[in-house]
Amino acid sequence: ADRAILPLLADYGAVVGRDGTAVRVAGGARRGIRADLRDAPDLAPIVAAMACRAEGESLVTGAAHLRSKESDRIAASVAAARVVGCAAEERDDGFRIRGPARTRGPVASRGDHRIAMAFAACGFDVDDLACAAKSWPGFAHALASLVS
């Protein structure tokens, strides 16, 4: 299901290339996107973080079940978007975010590894990167090596 990020990245404006099993992604326009995440709900936090970097409105639908993950990921994503200066609203099955962000945070991860990793990977300050260890113990180190 996580492969669904590739067409979303292209919609966002990134240049996505494939060579066999390798994928290369390069920056681009950072446009708002529309995403039905019914079949890929774990992508919601990264789509929210991307929306905070985009020009214009992004809309996520089909993800009502996100309210019962490690955190209420709909509420956490909207709260994070607001903290960084975006207009954002919760919807029953997702959220709407209008970017771009005006600040870097700090974003409250709410102890949710996906919220922490998504917003940190998009360059926002996150209150607790240690919770990322649930799914990627070396995340903070990997991120630091990318930005140094």
Side-chain angles (χ1 to χ4, degrees):
D2 287 346
R3 284 184 220 167
I5 193 66
L6 298 177
L8 294 175
L9 286 167
D11 290 348
Y12 181 65
V15 178
V16 179
R18 296 182 189 178
D19 182 16
T21 59
V23 175
R24 183 177 305 257
V25 178
R30 296 184 183 176
R31 297 183 295 260
I33 59 176
R34 296 193 182 294
D36 179 345
L37 296 181
R38 186 174 331 275
D39 297 326
D42 288 340
L43 296 180
I46 192 64
V47 171
M50 289 166 49
C52 291
R53 292 291 184 201
E55 288 287 339
E57 183 176 281
S58 295
L59 177 67
V60 165
T61 60
H65 51 293
L66 290 175
R67 295 210 182 266
S68 58
K69 296 290 188 173
E70 287 83 350
S71 70
D72 176 339
R73 289 186 179 153
I74 292 173
S77 294
V78 167
R82 289 177 177 160
V83 162
V84 299
C86 295
E89 68 179 44
E90 293 184 34
R91 299 170 53 94
D92 290 341
D93 68 338
F95 48 82
R96 181 183 315 267
I97 296 173
R98 176 167 287 283
R102 293 187 297 274
T103 69
R104 291 178 43 101
V107 169
S109 67
R110 301 184 182 195
D112 189 317
H113 59 122
R114 291 196 183 267
I115 298 292
M117 290 189 297
F119 280 86
C122 285
F124 295 104
D125 297 329
V126 176
D127 68 344
D128 177 19
L129 276 185
C131 68
K134 175 178 182 177
S135 58
W136 186 355
F139 176 77
H141 178 72
L143 182 63
S145 70
L146 287 173
V147 293
S148 64

